[in-house]
Amino acid sequence: MTFHEVFLEDDVLCASCRKTLKRVGRWIQVDKMLVYAYYEYDDAMSTIFHRYKEAHDQALGRIFLHPIRKFDQLYKQKTIVCAPSSEIKNDERGFMTLEKILEESNVQRIDVLRKESTQKQSLRSVSQRTQVKGEITLHNQLLAEEKDLILFDDIVTTGSTMKACYALLNPVARSLKCVCIAIHPIFLENSRKSKQYFRKLRI
């Protein structure tokens, strides 16, 4: 994709608003997983997600992976698996949040994960979020077997949802990578500390 093509593609956000988003754009260690994060999850990003998911401003779905063609180029040989939301929450919103974000993507997607809980992650305490593992199940396993998968989620706060999904997919996938839109600053801080530690070891 050329420089010209990137900036001609429609962006829901104005240039000044996009500059307020804290870009990460790298792989971050989350427990035993490496997760590629696009942005830091801060107050500005929290507000955007609230408008998107709870105020049902579906047009905002296009901002997160802008430009979508770049995402498609990176993962065109992969298969996307979205971290699941409960069917009740999807019905309340009237749309599936991650699938909406990927609506204009040409990357193949499969639907193999289910979530039974009806309570929003944002309303849960940290200890409650760690219990999510038993709520997520793997269905249609044959669709995921021996494929190069991308586990895709919107926000990594404690990492519990992504870890639960990863544990289900990793044994059956040929390869598995994790991608999120926004990640909690604590993981970025831990990543910086790790880099500083290994630099000291090399001295």
Side-chain angles (χ1 to χ4, degrees):
M1 186 180 351
T2 68
F3 178 88
H4 183 65
E5 287 175 323
V6 170
F7 288 96
L8 276 184
E9 189 167 346
D10 290 341
D11 190 356
V12 175
L13 286 184
C14 67
S16 59
C17 291
R18 185 161 290 281
K19 286 179 181 178
T20 66
L21 303 182
K22 295 180 181 176
R23 181 80 178 173
V24 175
R26 60 188 173 90
W27 295 94
I28 304 294
Q29 190 79 36
V30 178
D31 195 42
K32 295 180 181 179
M33 304 176 298
L34 276 178
V35 180
Y36 187 87
Y38 281 87
Y39 300 99
E40 180 178 332
Y41 187 62
D42 60 1
D43 289 342
M45 185 60 73
S46 176
T47 298
I48 290 173
F49 268 112
H50 181 80
R51 285 179 54 194
Y52 174 58
K53 298 172 77 171
E54 309 310 327
H56 306 165
D57 190 349
Q58 296 184 43
L60 288 176
R62 297 178 61 196
I63 78 169
F64 301 112
L65 298 178
H66 179 80
I68 193 68
R69 283 181 291 178
K70 188 172 182 180
F71 178 89
D72 283 3
Q73 286 177 345
L74 285 172
Y75 303 119
K76 62 183 177 181
Q77 303 299 327
K78 310 292 184 181
T79 300
I80 306 293
V81 177
C82 294
S85 298
S86 72
E87 292 185 9
I88 292 177
K89 292 307 301 179
N90 289 334
D91 289 342
E92 286 178 0
R93 293 184 178 119
F95 67 103
M96 300 169 71
T97 56
L98 292 175
E99 286 76 3
K100 187 68 178 177
I101 290 169
L102 293 168
E103 186 175 52
E104 297 181 13
S105 171
N106 293 315
V107 179
Q108 180 185 7
R109 301 194 298 275
I110 55 174
D111 180 18
V112 294
L113 297 174
R114 298 284 187 276
K115 186 176 182 181
E116 305 302 326
S117 174
T118 61
Q119 188 177 9
K120 293 191 300 181
Q121 281 289 83
S122 60
L123 297 179
R124 293 180 164 191
S125 66
V126 173
S127 61
Q128 287 174 327
R129 292 184 188 192
T130 61
Q131 304 304 313
V132 73
K133 182 177 180 180
E135 301 171 356
I136 298 175
T137 53
L138 177 64
H139 296 254
N140 302 320
Q141 179 175 314
L142 288 175
L143 294 177
E145 287 182 353
E146 292 304 310
K147 288 190 176 178
D148 297 312
L149 301 180
I150 298 293
L151 174 57
F152 181 67
D153 203 357
D154 50 8
I155 308 165
V156 172
T157 48
T158 66
S160 297
T161 296
M162 186 160 276
K163 284 187 280 188
C165 296
Y166 188 93
L168 292 169
L169 294 172
N170 193 46
V172 302
R174 180 165 53 204
S175 68
L176 178 59
K177 293 184 178 180
C178 303
V179 175
C180 73
I181 293 168
I183 194 166
H184 194 283
I186 188 65
F187 293 111
L188 302 177
E189 180 61 28
N190 289 343
S191 177
R192 284 191 286 268
K193 288 180 179 178
S194 296
K195 286 182 179 179
Q196 291 170 359
Y197 173 74
F198 285 112
R199 284 197 196 101
K200 288 180 180 177
L201 289 180
R202 289 196 293 269
I203 294 175

